[in-house]
Structure formats: C-alpha cells, structure tokens
Amino acid sequence: MDEETLLQGIGKKDPAALEAVIDRYGTYIRAIIHGKADGHLSLQDEEEIASDVFLSLWKQSDSLLTGHLRAWLAATARNRTVDFLRRRKLTLPLEEDCFLVEDAVWQEISDQTLREIVRSALDELSSEDREIFLRHYELEQSIPAIARELALSPSAVKMRLFRGRRAIRKQLEERGITIEDCLS
C-alpha cells in the first residue's frame, strides 16, 4: 500500500491500514525513541511511547498530508519521548557539538529535490561515514553512543559528521541552493 492509500484507510478508521503503518514504520519509530531516550527508558516504556505515536496518528489522520507521514511519525516520536522523559523528571545531556543551523536544515528538508540532493551527497560518502551521518541525524543517536557502537573515538565521529555536512553543503551550493534558502 502506498502512503496515500494508508492515510485514506486510517482516515476511514480501517484497522488494517493502521496495522500496515505499524508494520512499515514500527521499527523506525522504535529506533528514534530508543536513540532519543539514550538508554534512560525501559523497553516497555519505549513500546508505550510507540503505541502513543500510532494512537495519535489514528486520532489525527485527517490533518496529515500525503508525503509527510514518515516525518510526522518521527517528529511525534521524538516529542513524545521528550515529554515522557520530562514527566519522569529525566533530562538528557546536551551534546558537546550543537550545530543548530545544520540540524535545522536537516530537519526542514522536505522538498523532494532537496532530499535527492542530500541522498546524492550521502552516496558520495564512504559507507562508514554515511552510516555515522544517518545514525546521528535520522536515528538521533548521540555521538558517544555512535562512537561506542562503531569502536571509534567521539572526536572521530565528530569529524566524520563535519565532513558529511560539508559534502551536503557543497552539493547544495553547486545547485544554487544556500543554507539560508533551506531555512526560509
């Protein structure tokens, strides 16, 4: 089923459509929740948050636009995780490097052309650099967590992220797109 059909089914309150969305995006949503929680939540807590995300989809399906389901689910998962941690009075440490402009650009890229340019730039990275970049920006894993899992130093992970951002910026600029264009 394509996304439009899924959203129509959910809008009609078809349980099979919701089941298809959970099958398609469940692992992705749980990875986002797990990465955002950074080990501060039990598996049951993470499953509860994922259930809340899909329940919100069920309740708010009429307000979603086709082509934005994955982004909506990811944003909702991140927000629900942060809310859950706040209710538990848990805080997450800020990372040492806060590249707010680049993070904002990554989050705001919704136009298909820009996504294709970014994917093209990512394809030019080595497989290890690409994995680090996707773990950090798509799965929202922290730099220390990536370093541990890949047996690298945190500074090596930071350098590879820097190179990835630089490659994407270069690809954008070669096509006449500036960071300011992406933010407006």
Side-chain angles (χ1 to χ4, degrees), residues 63-162:
S63 65
L64 291 176
L65 300 173
T66 301
H68 299 288
L69 178 59
R70 180 180 162 107
W72 185 90
L73 288 169
T76 303
R78 283 189 291 273
N79 293 339
R80 293 292 166 107
T81 303
V82 169
D83 291 345
F84 192 93
L85 291 168
R86 283 184 187 141
R87 283 194 310 271
R88 293 263 178 106
K89 304 211 184 304
L90 293 171
T91 57
L92 297 175
L94 290 176
E95 292 185 26
E96 298 169 15
D97 65 331
C98 294
F99 294 98
L100 297 177
V101 173
E102 288 85 357
D103 286 349
V105 170
W106 183 256
Q107 293 297 320
E108 294 298 321
I109 294 177
S110 61
D111 178 79
Q112 182 63 32
T113 304
L114 288 176
R115 282 198 304 263
E116 288 172 9
I117 294 169
V118 170
R119 286 287 173 209
S120 171
L122 287 173
D123 289 342
E124 292 182 13
L125 298 176
S126 70
S127 61
E128 189 173 56
D129 286 355
R130 185 172 43 254
E131 179 180 358
I132 289 169
F133 200 84
L134 294 174
R135 281 176 179 251
H136 187 67
Y137 288 104
E138 284 198 9
L139 300 179
E140 293 194 349
Q141 287 185 335
S142 68
I143 290 173
I146 295 169
R148 270 192 315 274
E149 290 181 24
L150 299 179
L152 297 169
S153 70
S155 60
V157 172
K158 288 178 191 177
M159 179 53 71
R160 289 170 187 236
L161 287 170
F162 171 78

Side-chain angles (χ1 to χ4, degrees), residues 1 4 6 12 29 38 41 43-44 47 55 59 61 78 94 101 104 113 140 142 149 153 157 167 170 183:
M1 259 189 245
E4 185 175 352
L6 290 173
K12 294 176 184 173
I29 296 307
D38 199 29
L41 297 176
L43 182 59
Q44 292 81 9
E47 288 293 330
L55 180 62
K59 291 178 178 178
S61 61
R78 283 189 291 273
L94 290 176
V101 173
T113 304
E140 293 194 349
S142 68
E149 290 181 24
S153 70
V157 172
K170 181 180 176 201
L183 293 174

